[in-house]
Amino acid sequence: MDVLNKLTTLFQQALETREPSINLLDSFIDHWKGITNYYIETTDESRPVKQTDIPWRLKQMLDILVYEEKQQEVEETGACMEYLLQHKILETLCTLGKAQYPPGMSQQVLVFFSKVLAQIQKPVLHLINVHRPIQKLIRLCGLPNSNTEKEEAQFMFFVCSRVKKDPYVLNYILETAKDGNPQRSSSVSEDSTEESFSEVSSPASSPSPSTPSSPPQNSSQPDIIDILTQLMKSQKSRVALRAMESVMLLTSIAQEDTAKLLAEETPLCALLSQRLCELYCTIPTTLHPADLHSYPLKKWKTPSAPDCSATEESPSSSAQEHIDNFFSWLDYCDEIIKEAPMVFAVTLAKAIHQQWLTGIVQPQLLQMSEAGVLVHTALLSCTVRHIHSSALLQELVHFLLGNDTHHEQQTDTPPHTHLLRFHLIEHCDHISDEISITTLRMFEELLKRPDRNILNSLVLRNLEGRSYRLPGSGEDRPGAECDALEESDELEEDPFFTDSEFSGSESLLSLSRDERRSSTRTQIAETVNSFLCLVPQEAKTTQHVQGAGYDTYVHDALKSLKECTAVSLEWGWPDNPKPIDAHSSSVHFYEGHFLKVLFDRASRILEQPYELNLQVTSVLSRLAVFPHPHLHEYLLDPYINLSPGARSLFSTLVRVIGELMQRIQHIPNFTQRLILVRRQLMGLEEETLVDHATLLKGVIVLEEFCKELAAIAFVKLPMGDQEHLAAFSP
C-alpha cells in the first residue's frame, strides 16, 4: 500500500503539470482498463477488494474528473466525463457492486458515487447515464443485514444534497413520468448494464450523454423514499441520523411543485407518521405519569435521538429509551413541518393526525382502563408541550377540541359535541384524582400554546355575548361609576373587607378618595383588595410565615401576562368589552363545559387532595392572565351583577369561604394547626399526621390562590400606572 500511496502522490503532482487534455483522457482510460483487466486476469475470487488496486484506481479516476472540471469552461464537458458517460461506467460499477465481486466491492462503488456527487460541481443528475445508475444503486441500499449502511447513508445524503441544489431532478431520481405520476420502476435491465461492461475496452457510438432523458418505464422497485425510511430505522445512530438529514434536505426544498410532488406522489408523509405510530406503541403502559411531567425534550439531532431501533425484547432497552425514541422522532416530524413548504407541512400534519392521533391515541384515551388512560394522557400532555410547528399544532388542537364555534348548551353531549373534547373535560372531574390532575395539566399545557382556537373553544365562545352579566348593570346604566364607588364604600364598611386585613405589601393598592375617581384604575385596585380580603383573618397564614406575602406572585404574574399578551397580539381581541345585547336577558347563561368543571372543582377546594387543588388553581390562573376583556371581567371582576343562575370565579370562592367559616367553628386550635401544616408544606417542619389535613391544606391553597389572582389583577393596571410595577419588574 505504501507503493500505491507514493504513486498517488506522483500522479497528483503530474496532474498539475500535464497539459494536453488527451493525456488526462489516456490516464483515465488506463485506470478504467486496469479495473476491467482485473476481472479478466484474476484467479482468486475470494481476495477482498481492499487488497487489490481497484480502490486506488477509482480514486485516480475521481481525481482526474475533478481536475478536468476545474480546467473547463462552465458550459463544457471534459473528455474524461464524456468517456465515463458514453461507456456507462457508472452502470458497470453498479453491476460489480451488486455482485460483490471482489468481496467488498459495493462499499467501494458507494464511496466512488458519493465522491462524484460531492466533488463534481456541474449538474449531472439530469443525464440518463448518471441518474439511471444512481437509481439502480439506490435500490441496492437498505437491504437487511447490510454491512455497508454507513456508506449507503452517505451516498443517499449526497444524492439528496444534489437534489436540494437542482430540485427539478427529483423527477428523475423518483422515476416520475412527464405527467408527474410516479413510476416506481427499474429503469434499466441487467442486460443493458452487462452490455455496457462488455464495451468498456472498445468505445462505441452512443446517444449524446449531455442530453437529458425522459423518465423510464414502470415496475415495482423500491425508490429513494423507501430506502431512506429503512435507513432511518438503523440500529447505528449515525446511519439513522444521516438518513434523517437526507429526508430533511428533500422536504425543505422551497419550490411548491417539488413539495407537492413529495406530498402527493410519494408515500413519505405516510411513512413518517407510520414510524411515529410504531415508536409510540413501544412505550410501556406501566409508565408512571410522574416520569413525563417534567420530561425534557430530546432533540432529534442529539446522538441518542435517531437510535430508534431498540425493541422491547432487547435486554438493554428501557422505558426511558422508548420515550426518548418517540419524542425525538416527534421532534423530527415537527421540525420537518416547520421547515417544509406549506403543501407538504399540511399533508404530513394531517397524516400524523389521522394515523397516530385518531388511529392510536384516541382509543387509548377513551378506554375503560384507568391505568391506560392515565399513561396516555400524560404522554399527550408532554406532546402538547413539545410541539412548535403551526400546522401540527393546528391538527393537534383540532383533534383535541374539534372546530365548534357556537355557544355551548348544558345539554350538549356526544354526538352533538366533539367526542374527545367532552371526555377529556370530564376527565378533569374524574373519580381518579391522578387522572384529573394529569388531564388538567394537559389543558394547562394547551393554554400555553399559540393557537387562538384553544381559548375560543374552551371559554371565549361562551362569554361572547356577556350574558353572564345582568342587563342594565355596571357601565350599561347611567351613574355606573358613582354606583361602583358607592359599592366600594359599602364593602369598606363591611368588616369582611376591612383595610385592617392588609399587612406589608398587601396595602400597596389602598387609594385616596381622589385617586378613586379614576374609574379603570379604581376597578383594578378594588379587585386586588377584594381578592386579598376574601380569606378571613383567622384562616390566613401569610403574616405568620416570612416571605409569603402577596407581592411574591407579582413577578410571576407579570411574566405570564407578557407571555399571554405576546401570544394573543395577532388574534384580533378587542380592547374593551362588547356592548351587551338588549336581547341577552332572554338568554340563559352557561359558562361552558370547561369552566363548569373548573368551577365545580374550585368549589370543592376544602375537600380535595392538595396536588389536585394546586392544578385546578393553576389552570384558572392561566385563564385569568389572558388580556381578553370578557375573560378578565368574568374571572377577575368581583363587582359584576350576575344574571340569574350564573356564577363567576369570585362568587364561587365566596361560597367556599362561607363553607369554611362554618367548618372552622368545629376545629379546635384551627389557626395553630393551619400554621403547622403551612410550615410542613414549606419544609420548615417535619411531616406529621394532623387532623383535618385535607381541609387545612385546602385553606392554604385558597389563600395562595386569592393572592395570585390579586397579583394578576395588579399587573393588569393601565399603561399609565406602570410606575406601580417598577418595584416588581425583573
Side-chain angles (χ1 to χ4, degrees), residues 83-146:
Y83 185 89
L84 177 136
L85 297 170
Q86 287 182 359
H87 296 279
K88 303 180 182 179
I89 289 177
L90 296 179
E91 295 229 23
T92 303
L93 287 174
C94 279
T95 301
L96 299 177
K98 181 178 181 180
Q100 277 285 41
Y101 177 51
M105 187 61 184
S106 62
Q107 182 184 41
Q108 298 301 318
V109 171
L110 287 163
V111 170
F112 181 76
F113 271 68
S114 296
K115 290 183 176 179
V116 167
L117 292 171
Q119 298 182 35
I120 299 298
Q121 301 302 310
K122 293 177 183 176
V124 292
L125 280 184
H126 64 292
L127 303 176
I128 187 171
N129 286 343
V130 176
H131 70 250
R132 194 164 62 176
I134 282 179
Q135 291 164 354
K136 180 180 178 182
L137 190 57
I138 286 172
R139 290 192 293 273
L140 298 180
C141 299
L143 300 176
N145 304 316
S146 172

Side-chain angles (χ1 to χ4, degrees), residues 419-443:
L419 175 66
L420 186 59
R421 177 185 184 277
F422 177 83
H423 282 282
L424 286 173
I425 294 176
E426 286 290 298
H427 287 176
C428 294
D429 202 6
H430 200 277
I431 190 173
S432 163
D433 291 334
E434 269 198 299
I435 288 179
S436 294
I437 292 170
T438 303
T439 309
L440 284 164
R441 184 176 281 110
M442 187 274 294
F443 276 108

Side-chain angles (χ1 to χ4, degrees), residues 114 137-138 141 151-161 223-225 227-228 231 242-243 246 249:
S114 296
L137 190 57
I138 286 172
C141 299
E151 290 77 16
E152 293 170 17
Q154 196 76 346
F155 163 65
M156 301 291 276
F157 177 80
F158 285 117
V159 172
C160 294
S161 298
D223 64 12
I224 188 171
I225 302 300
I227 304 304
L228 284 171
L231 290 174
R242 207 57 162 157
S246 300
L249 284 172

Side-chain angles (χ1 to χ4, degrees), residues 343-372:
V343 62
F344 186 87
V346 170
T347 304
L348 178 54
K350 288 184 179 299
I352 290 173
H353 182 167
Q354 181 180 1
Q355 291 183 242
W356 175 52
L357 293 174
T358 302
I360 294 180
V361 177
Q362 179 164 311
Q364 299 296 341
L365 295 173
L366 299 178
Q367 65 177 300
M368 298 301 294
S369 166
E370 290 186 4

Side-chain angles (χ1 to χ4, degrees), residues 214-327:
S214 42
Q217 300 303 312
N218 185 29
S219 182
S220 56
Q221 296 287 339
D223 64 12
I224 188 171
I225 302 300
D226 301 310
I227 304 304
L228 284 171
T229 304
Q230 290 300 316
L231 290 174
M232 286 192 287
K233 299 179 182 180
S234 172
Q235 296 186 19
K236 299 174 182 176
S237 61
R238 290 185 180 181
V239 170
L241 179 59
R242 207 57 162 157
M244 293 166 78
E245 290 172 340
S246 300
V247 171
M248 186 69 76
L249 284 172
L250 294 179
T251 57
S252 62
I253 295 173
Q255 281 81 345
E256 282 291 318
D257 55 344
T258 302
K260 187 175 182 181
L261 173 65
L262 284 172
E264 299 178 0
E265 307 295 346
T266 76
L268 180 56
C269 291
L271 291 172
L272 290 172
S273 54
Q274 179 183 334
R275 183 60 177 160
L276 190 70
C277 296
E278 292 171 358
L279 294 172
Y280 184 82
C281 291
T282 65
I283 299 176
T285 55
T286 55
L287 188 70
H288 196 278
D291 298 332
L292 292 166
H293 291 337
S294 58
Y295 172 80
L297 176 62
K298 299 296 183 183
K299 291 289 186 180
W300 68 273
K301 282 193 174 183
T302 56
S304 60
D307 199 4
C308 305
S309 59
T311 56
E312 287 183 292
E313 56 269 15
S314 170
S316 63
S317 65
S318 67
Q320 188 63 47
E321 287 175 329
H322 291 300
I323 297 169
D324 288 349
N325 291 338
F326 168 75
F327 280 108

